[in-house]
Amino acid sequence: MLTLQNIIAPEPGVCSEPDLYYHATGAAQICQQGSGFCLQTGSRIRFDTYFNLFNLGTWTQACLLEGLILEITARGPGEIRVLHLRQGHPAEILHQSRPQLHPDSPYQIDLSALLSGTPEGLLALELVALGPEKLQLYTARFATRRQPPSLPRLAISITTFQREHKVRDTVARLDAFLARSGFGDNIHVQVIDNGQSADIRAGPRVTAYANRNLGGAGGFARGLLEAEDRGFSHCLFMDDDASFHMENILRSYMLLTLARDPQTALAGAMIGNRRQWEMWENGAYFDGSCHPLFNGIDLRCPQAVQQMELRSTQARPATFYGGWWFFAFPLAGLRRHPFPFFVRGDDISFSLANDFNIFTLNGVVSFQDDFIEKESAQTLYLDLRNHLLHHLIFAQLERSALGTARIACRFMMRSMLRCKYESAAAQLMAWRDVMQGPVFFDRNIDMQARQASIRALIKQEHWQQNTDTAPQERRCFSRLPRRLRHLLGLFSLNGHLLPFWSRVGDQIVLEIDDRGLVFPAFGAARLTYRNGTGTQAYTVRHSKARFFALAWQMLLALTHWLRHHEELKRAYRRGYGDMTTRPYWEAKLGPARGPRDQAAE
């Protein structure tokens, strides 16, 4: 049998939120030895959770299964239930039995009947300890009898830049997992070291490549070249700052192995490190901006998780894409390589340009710092560039000149209304750079000149040590009723159209969750932003002179954009075709430098 999915438990260093793994009643808990779960008499444990539900709809849509088995390895007397959860139906008990469980004889439940017709819904395992001795669950897995004629060869490609400790830890965990895995010989880890500082030890399952630092796009382009050269059938792009369960690899590999469609790809979800119980993105689509799906879902709530998983099997938007923190895809039929964005937007472009059939799967997720924590003038510059380019390049996203220009104006106004004039200046620079045509991206592929230009802009909007743990606030306008405050902020452009606003406007302190939002800034003339731990902060202040100077420059940029939009669109569609090819990246990156080359130097 092939294991599709294991029941897993919280893991230190990855996630310790128990409600994401199991729901217990009575004396049911993880065993002290870390070997499964222990249940005292009368206690109950149910795995109707984000990590341990089995999404029957997703697995059967994506894969060809021959038989479905739930296998339980346990010790002691207990009652076993298998629940079927469907939209608009009460939970149905598919199986109920009271065996005497022994670890030498795994207990198997044949669920194959569910595969007939149109399979849908979710499956959840529930155990009840009957006593008098405790019930100990060692392992549980969903499996299929299908044995594919061949197994895919998967390259796990990690791009890293000066996160030496983090990437070495990830590689060590992957290496250990693959060494004990039944399919480990078909998977290889390749580390693309843009900083040339990670010092990854090569081995039978690991290869490191020193790479020219052309950002994430250049790193993943190198990984793609190496995967193609070494004859891999699939590639998995992964960030160097992500924490994840090794179960990610198992579930992804099995989904690719049994895929109905050879173009099947898998997009991993993302959860922020600050709130590990809250979904940040479970797949996303692009249309004018990025739309993360199921953002804000409380994963501790069984009903919310079930609704999310049931909805995830429905038709996805045409511009659905997968983030490169965890994205697995086939190499056969690949149309386009990455575009040289440096970072930000390369994953959106890659999904839109290639004909992938993208799925998501519960429990396949990366934990990492969310985008609010990472926001800076440079990331805002990079975001605006890629947002504009997608609409210039892809026919399915085509808009009028004014319709696309609204994106740039909206980005800048969001910054200016929050008194973030330095960020707005960086965004104006991005708009002007896009208007230089694709040649700009080719000439600035390493971003060194632009990074220096952006750094020169930033005087206030960067994190500094927060020496004032209780900064002084003055709130008047920001205490108005929400609707009135919104109208005041909107029609006065947050005080920029009102005299003496720098004197009468509020002085407020905003926490990290409000950093990217406009409304919390309404009514303020001085805003202090604090990071997630409160150890760092920065302050920005109202300035009519800077606001209207930027507004004038934005108007000039808009005029130029409207005049040259059609010409730009044609240039980018030609340029995109030329700059997303294998020969382009071979010329930019040069020959691969592996361990032997580095040792020779």
Side-chain angles (χ1 to χ4, degrees), residues 19-38:
D19 287 337
L20 272 60
Y21 300 84
Y22 64 93
H23 296 118
T25 303
Q29 58 189 2
I30 299 173
C31 298
Q32 291 183 352
Q33 301 85 358
S35 56
F37 298 85
C38 296

Side-chain angles (χ1 to χ4, degrees), residues 9-237:
E11 180 181 347
V14 179
C15 179
S16 57
E17 291 281 348
D19 287 337
L20 272 60
Y21 300 84
Y22 64 93
H23 296 118
T25 303
Q29 58 189 2
I30 299 173
C31 298
Q32 291 183 352
Q33 301 85 358
S35 56
F37 298 85
C38 296
L39 290 77
Q40 300 298 329
T41 304
S43 60
R44 179 189 310 265
I45 192 166
R46 180 183 288 191
F47 297 101
D48 56 341
T49 58
Y50 175 65
F51 278 104
N52 288 322
L53 280 167
F54 184 84
N55 195 321
L56 184 65
T58 296
W59 277 106
T60 53
Q61 282 181 22
C63 298
L64 286 169
L65 304 180
E66 293 177 3
L68 181 62
I69 306 296
L70 173 57
E71 183 182 87
I72 299 161
T73 304
R75 180 192 297 275
E79 180 175 280
I80 299 174
R81 294 180 181 177
V82 181
L83 307 178
H84 190 195
L85 310 169
R86 291 180 294 165
Q87 186 75 47
H89 295 269
E92 177 187 358
I93 300 176
L94 291 179
H95 172 91
Q96 186 171 8
S97 60
R98 294 188 172 189
Q100 179 66 37
L101 299 164
H102 194 277
D104 293 337
S105 303
Y107 185 76
Q108 293 187 351
I109 303 167
D110 192 341
L111 302 170
S112 301
L114 288 174
L115 302 181
S116 61
T118 306
E120 62 174 7
L122 314 169
L123 302 180
L125 171 64
E126 182 179 75
L127 297 175
V128 181
L130 299 178
E133 60 185 288
K134 69 179 180 181
L135 173 63
Q136 185 164 356
L137 173 66
Y138 297 104
T139 62
R141 63 172 180 152
F142 289 91
T144 181
R145 295 190 186 94
R146 177 172 168 77
Q147 295 296 327
S150 62
L151 293 174
R153 295 191 65 230
L154 175 66
I156 299 176
S157 190
I158 304 173
T159 296
T160 186
F161 180 75
Q162 296 183 353
R163 287 194 176 104
E164 296 85 357
H165 176 75
K166 184 71 176 177
V167 75
R168 284 197 291 265
D169 178 64
T170 298
V171 170
R173 292 178 65 233
L174 282 167
D175 193 22
F177 171 76
L178 296 176
R180 63 179 184 269
S181 169
F183 50 82
D185 291 341
N186 293 289
I187 300 179
H188 195 83
V189 179
Q190 49 187 43
V191 180
I192 313 302
D193 186 6
N194 282 357
Q196 304 183 25
S197 59
D199 192 24
I200 300 295
R201 180 176 298 178
R205 289 171 294 274
V206 178
T207 304
Y209 299 93
N211 196 49
R212 181 185 175 193
N213 183 25
L214 301 183
F220 287 119
R222 166 67 75 198
L224 191 52
L225 295 179
E226 297 306 319
E228 290 176 324
D229 285 346
R230 299 182 65 171
F232 288 98
S233 62
H234 292 76
C235 193
L236 167 58
F237 286 168

